[in-house]
């Protein structure tokens, strides 16, 4: 059963926007009679005046911004579209990547049953930059910066270098993925400037044994407290 949002899920409450923690396994929009994140956030704050300006996949946890007015929503939507908001993610794979850091740039196209795939062309490419480090045997942590915002972008990008995300039933080995507590993708940080003020929000993962191990926490504390410095 899906949990509700609570006051503990509120990260920031500013004049023009709010930031929340979205739990893993929660739909962003309402679906099949199940309330999605946006509706649950509105109910928590007892207002309809919260507007989505970007989204996270159901399996993805982490920081998400909702605007407080239609005007602010338009402003933030344009900022996301024009890459004025830096987005950083964490992911874990049990597969060794073809390369440990760098860029993944390629066009994306729909594949089968709602999935996507990378193409050989680069006409309107999805652009992902990443850095990775070993957590333990058969477990690698990826820090990723999105330069575009395509559907399933990170999930497809990591699969393309041989490191599908642990627990990702759609893109990893389904049998192995179903043994995981969750899909290990997390929206870790947002960084932007609006009305001459700079904002930085960093939110470590809260769910899943792999994301909350002492070893991974140590890596985050020692290497990834200022992720923008690695790109």
């Amino acid at each position: 059963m899906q949990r509700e949002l609570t006051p503990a899920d509120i990260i920031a409450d500013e004049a023009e926007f709010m930031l929340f923690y979205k739990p893993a396994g929660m739909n962003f929009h309402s679906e099949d009679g199940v309330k999605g994140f946006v509706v649950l956030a509105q109910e928590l704050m007892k207002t309809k005046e919260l507007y989505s300006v970007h989204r996270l996949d159901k399996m993805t946890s982490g920081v998400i911004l909702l605007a407080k007015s239609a005007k602010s929503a338009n402003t933030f939507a344009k900022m996301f579209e024009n890459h004025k908001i830096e987005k950083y993610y964490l992911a874990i794979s049990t597969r060794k990547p073809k390369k440990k850091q760098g860029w993944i740039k390629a066009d994306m196209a729909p594949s089968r049953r709602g999935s996507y795939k990378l193409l050989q062309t680069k006409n309107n490419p999805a652009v992902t930059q990443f850095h990775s480090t070993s957590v333990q045997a058969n477990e690698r942590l990826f820090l990723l910066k999105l330069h575009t915002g395509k559907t399933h972008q990170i999930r497809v990008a990591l699969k393309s270098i041989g490191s599908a995300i642990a627990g990702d039933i759609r893109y990893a080995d389904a049998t192995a993925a179903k043994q995981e507590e969750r899909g290990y993708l997390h929206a870790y940080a947002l960084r932007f400037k609006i009305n001459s003020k700079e904002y930085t929000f960093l939110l470590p993962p809260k769910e899943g044994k792999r994301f909350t191990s002492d070893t991974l926490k140590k890596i985050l504390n020692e290497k990834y407290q200022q992720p923008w410095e690695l790109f």
Side-chain angles (χ1 to χ4, degrees):
M1 184 176 177
Q2 177 175 279
R3 77 168 177 85
E4 300 287 304
L5 292 179
T6 72
D9 295 312
I10 301 170
I11 301 167
D13 189 350
E14 300 287 337
E16 293 190 56
F17 66 90
M18 294 190 70
L19 265 81
F20 294 86
Y21 172 80
K22 186 191 91 65
M26 180 181 286
N27 281 325
F28 186 72
H29 295 295
S30 299
E31 189 175 300
D32 298 328
V34 179
K35 294 176 182 178
F37 164 79
V38 177
V39 170
L40 291 171
Q42 291 173 338
E43 289 182 351
L44 175 65
M45 302 310 297
K46 296 181 172 57
T47 179
K48 293 288 187 180
E49 297 295 303
L50 287 175
Y51 301 81
S52 62
V53 292
H54 65 135
R55 65 181 298 275
L56 295 177
D57 290 343
K58 181 177 181 179
M59 81 171 198
T60 309
S61 60
V63 61
I64 195 152
L65 184 151
L66 295 179
K68 284 188 171 182
S69 68
K71 182 180 178 181
S72 293
N74 184 56
T75 298
F76 279 109
K78 288 181 178 178
M79 289 172 68
F80 276 107
E81 184 179 350
N82 295 320
H83 317 305
K84 298 295 185 183
I85 297 179
E86 297 176 33
K87 297 181 287 183
Y88 300 90
Y89 288 74
L90 298 173
I92 291 178
S93 179
T94 59
R95 303 285 182 174
K96 185 178 179 180
K98 296 175 183 176
K99 55 182 180 179
K100 295 180 180 179
Q101 62 184 27
W103 297 78
I104 304 168
K105 301 179 184 179
D107 291 330
M108 290 180 62
S111 184
R112 296 179 297 174
R113 301 189 183 95
S115 296
Y116 289 81
K117 61 183 179 181
L118 287 188
L119 305 177
Q120 298 296 317
T121 56
K122 296 181 182 180
N123 298 315
N124 182 27
V127 180
T128 307
Q129 194 176 6
F130 72 96
H131 180 279
S132 73
T133 189
S134 175
V135 180
Q136 59 182 354
N138 301 316
E139 187 173 285
R140 195 160 195 90
L141 174 66
F142 291 82
L143 172 69
L144 307 107
K145 180 180 181 179
L146 266 64
H147 293 270
T148 53
K150 311 286 187 181
T151 301
H152 293 186
Q153 178 173 326
I154 292 175
R155 298 163 70 181
V156 175
L158 289 183
K159 181 183 179 181
S160 77
I161 60 169
S163 292
I165 296 170
D168 188 346
I169 294 173
R170 183 177 292 276
Y171 292 103
D173 176 79
T175 301
K178 289 176 182 177
Q179 303 302 311
E180 300 284 351
E181 290 178 275
R182 56 162 296 180
Y184 280 90
L185 181 60
H186 176 78
Y188 183 45
L190 289 178
R191 192 173 184 230
F192 57 90
K193 183 176 182 180
I194 188 169
N195 297 331
S196 301
K197 184 175 180 180
E198 294 185 357
Y199 293 92
T200 299
F201 298 99
L202 196 74
L203 183 67
K206 301 178 181 180
E207 305 163 89
K209 290 180 181 178
R210 295 186 188 275
F211 265 156
T212 57
S213 71
D214 290 340
T215 304
L216 190 134
K217 288 178 180 178
K218 183 178 180 182
I219 292 171
L220 294 184
N221 287 333
E222 293 181 353
K223 293 187 176 182
Y224 294 158
Q225 284 301 296
Q226 296 183 323
W228 40 89
E229 292 186 351
L230 295 169
F231 298 97

